[in-house]
Every structure is written in C-alpha cells, then in structure tokens.
Amino acid sequence: ADGTSAKPFATIEGAKNYLRGKDRTYAVEVIIRGGDYTLSSGLNFDSLDSGSAEYPITYRAAEGEKVRIYGTTSVDTADFKKISDTAVLPKFQEGVRDKLIVLDLKDYGIDQSIVKFADKVDVGATGKPMGIYLNGAVQNIARWPDVGYETINVINEGGNISEKTQSAGGATLAINNMTDEIAARLSNCTDKMYVEGYMRHDWHSEWAKVESVDAAAKNIKLSTYTYYGVKSDKRIAIVNAASELDRPGEWFVDSDNMMLYYYPPYTLTQKDKFEIATLKDNFINIDGAEYINFDGIEFAENAADPSVSHITNTAGNGIAILNGAKNINITNCKIHDIGTEAVVAVGSSNINIKGCEMYNVGFSAIRVNCGERSTLTSGNVVISDCIISDINRDTGNNAYGGIRLD
C-alpha cells in the first residue's frame, strides 16, 4: 500500500503512520471510503503527525459516502441462549422468564471494567452503564420504575461526605409507591443493584450500591454514605435489578459471572446487529499536534471508565484536543452515543468546531478549557452551526451542559 487509489491503506492508522514525521511541500487529504470501521484502540496524533499552516493534513469522508467509526464489539446473536440455570431463574419475574436470553460475555473477551461499570464509582459520582445497541438503538438497563423516578421518605439519614458523618454509613429509605410485590421481588436480587437519582439536591445525581431490601418494611438500605446525604421527597430509581428486567429492550448484567441477561423485542436473527461498546479510549486523541482537520466522519458508540479523568486519552471521549494542540478543525462530523464527552479541548488554541451533530453523550457535548484566564489570553475556540441534543445522559449534575466552559 502506498496511499494511492490503486493501493490504499486498509486503516486510518496505516495512512497516519505513513505520513508521520515526513517533510512535505504539499497539503494532504486522507480520503476515507464509505463503510463501517471498528476501533479496538483510539487513534493518537502527536507533534510528528502534524501538518503546517501551508500544508495541513485533512482526514475526510469520500464525497457522497458515509464513514462510520465504531468503538464496539459485535455479538453473534446465535450465541444468546435461553436461561437454564435454575439458581438464577427465580430472580426474574415468572411471566418473562421464558422470554429472556443470556450471553456469556467471557466468550467475547469483554473487559470486566466495562461490566463492573459502577464498582469504581466514588461517593457522589454516577455510574456509566454499558452501551448496548440493537441495530443502532440504545437498549436500557433494567430499572424500577420503568420510566422516571419515585420519591423517598428518609428513615435513617446515614452519612455524607463530611468526615464527621461518614461513619454513619448508608441511609435507609422508604420509597413511595413500592408495593409489597415490588419489595418482595427486589429483596431477592440485591447483590448487583444500585440506586440512582437526586437524593438531596435536584441539581446533583449520584449512584449508590444497595445493601439490602427489607420486604416487610418496604425499605432499602444503602451500602455507603452519599455525597450530600439524603432528603425526603427527593427522586430515585433502582437500576440493574434482575427482578425488573420486564420490558423488551432491557438488560441486566451479573458482573461477577460476566453474564448479560436480555429481553429481546423480538426473536433475534443473524441479520440483527447487536453491539456492546468496549472502546474506552478517545476515538481521536490529538496531543500537541497542529494543523490537522477531520471532516464528514461519524464516530459512535464507545465506553467510559468512571475512575478515569475526562482529560486523558483513555477517557472515552469522541475527540480530545490536548496539551498545546493548535489549528485543529472538526467539521461536518456526527459524534454520538459517547461514553464521556463528544469533544474536549484543553490547553489548546485555534480550534474550530463547525457544522457537527452531537447527541446521546454521557456528559457534556463539548468541553473547553483553553486560553489563559489570568492574562485574558483567548484560546480562540470557535463553535458554530452545531446541533446538540440528548446530552448529560449518565449524570444528573447540571455542571455538564451542551457546552461546558471550565
């Protein structure tokens, strides 16, 4: 391969490496032909991958063709089986047991950190559920209530982030509209269950592990203190509850045994595309590089590790522009179903984000921390003609808006 139309490179990485470090007296366009591409690791661009003011490097979709780059592992739907484990079946509601199917994630080499999506969550933070997609549509984690939240009554406040109260441990909560039937079935499957919601303030959501459910009293006890504590009449939901896997398109994961339980909306066939987001890297990581452009490319469906800072190359962003990168153009791209943020620009300058569409993003669509505040030096970041929707998917914290300026 030499990068010509007759002998093209098979991957973007191959084209990038061919250009890397070469002195050029011409601008370069890397034309990516239409199709679906899957990354198992992110694409990293540093200073040796730079263009120049006169001779920039542009990575673009071929004219009139759709280029889609995914961060997923594809599942053969034939590998789903009916549930045969008699020790597991009682955790699910009797009326749906024969409709559920199960997949052994170990067969696909799924990283356990993808499955243990809430185990590393610090007090006050939110979990980042697995990204599971059927024919491109997001499939939802099993929860109660199915939609929205229920309000709480505080039985025992437990502790909060204050060192004086942490030893009080997790709160005990009564949940309005929890019937005897619901309480009984939840009490049978608490080992992988979490509470998520607005436990004290309407502007701050967090996750907390459930320690136990008292079916007789219809109370739940949290396994740890919460960041701001709890308050009656605030809103919560119970998530990743096996007993609440009761609607088509929902899933529950047993993170210890690496088993994914799923309620398919219909009988799956080989024509169906079932995917699990497994790429925890940024799709594109621009670290100190200059004069690089991306145009007309779709980036979709990656994962995020809740223990990693958003400003690293393994943060699960769409495109990260970091550490003095300059003169970067992101134009006409579609960035969606992203674990963390669609575009992050930190410590960089002369960034142009134009005509892009961003949606189904875990946190903010665009996060910017550029320029020098003490001297009022502009980072010259321009965002224009972008369509942003369905952001802040995995956190209820109002700090993560469509565009966040740090």
Side-chain angles (χ1 to χ4, degrees):
D2 59 10
T4 63
S5 58
K7 297 181 179 180
F9 293 102
T11 64
I12 301 171
E13 180 101 22
K16 180 185 81 74
N17 291 340
Y18 178 80
L19 295 169
R20 184 173 170 81
K22 286 185 168 60
D23 291 327
R24 291 174 293 99
T25 56
Y26 50 88
V28 170
E29 283 194 337
V30 177
I31 306 298
I32 308 168
R33 298 302 305 267
D36 295 347
Y37 301 81
T38 300
L39 295 184
S40 58
S41 60
L43 295 170
N44 295 302
F45 296 77
D46 61 25
S47 59
L48 292 178
D49 300 302
S50 296
S52 65
E54 191 174 0
Y55 307 121
I57 300 176
T58 300
Y59 296 80
R60 73 166 72 251
E63 187 71 27
E65 299 183 18
K66 289 186 177 181
V67 172
R68 294 173 291 257
I69 300 178
Y70 291 98
T72 55
T73 295
S74 294
V75 170
D76 185 342
T77 56
D79 288 336
F80 277 102
K81 308 299 181 185
K82 288 290 186 180
I83 302 173
S84 58
D85 188 339
T86 56
V88 171
L89 271 175
K91 294 180 179 293
F92 303 102
Q93 294 181 42
E94 187 173 357
V96 301
R97 291 173 189 170
D98 63 340
K99 299 178 176 66
L100 305 181
I101 53 179
V102 61
L103 178 74
D104 190 339
L105 296 172
K106 297 186 292 294
D107 293 343
Y108 284 85
I110 302 292
D111 188 327
Q112 197 169 44
S113 68
I114 298 292
V115 176
K116 291 181 176 290
F117 49 81
D119 284 16
K120 296 181 180 180
V121 171
D122 293 331
V123 171
T126 57
K128 298 177 181 177
M130 297 168 66
I132 296 180
Y133 305 89
L134 177 63
N135 299 322
V138 178
Q139 306 299 283
N140 297 313
I141 191 169
R143 73 195 303 273
W144 179 82
D146 287 327
V147 179
Y149 297 89
E150 293 288 356
T151 55
I152 59 174
N153 289 311
V154 176
I155 306 301
N156 184 314
E157 289 189 9
N160 58 47
I161 196 64
S162 167
E163 292 184 3
K164 295 179 181 179
T165 70
Q166 288 181 13
S167 61
T172 301
L173 309 172
I175 306 179
N176 293 322
N177 297 315
M178 179 183 282
T179 64
D180 291 337
E181 178 187 356
I182 294 169
R185 69 189 190 219
L186 287 172
S187 69
N188 191 38
C189 59
T190 57
D191 54 335
K192 306 295 185 298
M193 188 187 300
Y194 292 82
V195 161
E196 69 95 355
Y198 304 82
M199 299 184 217
R200 180 80 188 188
H201 300 292
D202 289 333
W203 45 265
H204 177 83
S205 174
E206 65 179 291
W207 285 45
K209 184 79 171 59
V210 174
E211 180 178 299
S212 61
V213 176
D214 184 333
K218 293 186 285 190
N219 294 339
I220 65 170
K221 187 178 188 321
L222 306 183
S223 64
T224 184
Y225 62 90
T226 55
Y227 197 86
Y228 292 107
V230 295
K231 185 178 180 181
S232 291
D233 295 324
K234 294 304 177 183
R235 303 165 290 154
I236 66 168
I238 294 174
V239 297
N240 204 49
S243 66
E244 305 314 301
L245 182 53
D246 58 359
R247 295 203 306 171
E250 287 187 332
W251 55 269
F252 158 79
V253 65
D254 177 344
S255 56
D256 291 336
N257 296 306
M258 297 291 287
M259 305 297 283
L260 176 69
Y261 297 88
Y262 180 56
Y263 189 160
Y266 50 81
T267 300
L268 302 182
T269 72
Q270 293 291 292
K271 294 181 180 180
D272 288 304
K273 187 178 181 181
F274 192 96
E275 298 170 293
I276 300 173
T278 49
L279 175 67
K280 293 186 290 183
D281 296 346
N282 306 325
F283 279 106
I284 302 293
N285 196 67
I286 304 171
D287 190 342
E290 301 182 26
Y291 296 101
I292 299 177
N293 308 316
F294 295 90
D295 182 66
I297 303 171
E298 180 176 348
F299 301 93
E301 301 172 10
N302 68 348
D305 186 333
S307 67
V308 173
S309 165
H310 295 195
I311 309 169
T312 65
N313 64 352
T314 58
N317 296 304
I319 300 174
I321 307 166
L322 310 173
N323 300 324
K326 299 176 183 177
N327 303 296
I328 307 297
N329 292 292
I330 312 296
T331 56
N332 305 310
C333 290
K334 182 184 288 188
I335 309 172
H336 63 93
D337 294 286
I338 299 298
T340 307
E341 284 157 324
V343 179
V344 173
V346 176
S348 301
S349 59
N350 299 335
I351 312 300
N352 179 40
I353 304 167
K354 180 179 175 63
C356 296
E357 184 178 1
M358 307 173 195
Y359 58 92
N360 286 353
V361 179
F363 289 77
S364 297
I366 302 173
R367 185 172 183 174
V368 177
N369 186 352
C370 297
E372 177 52 58
R373 187 170 298 176
S374 63
T375 60
L376 298 181
T377 301
S378 172
N380 193 27
V381 177
V382 179
I383 303 166
S384 61
D385 299 329
C386 293
I387 299 173
I388 296 172
S389 64
D390 297 301
I391 47 85
N392 210 354
R393 180 185 63 192
D394 294 334
T395 171
N397 191 322
N398 66 358
Y400 296 98
I403 300 174
R404 173 170 173 165
L405 304 179
D406 288 339

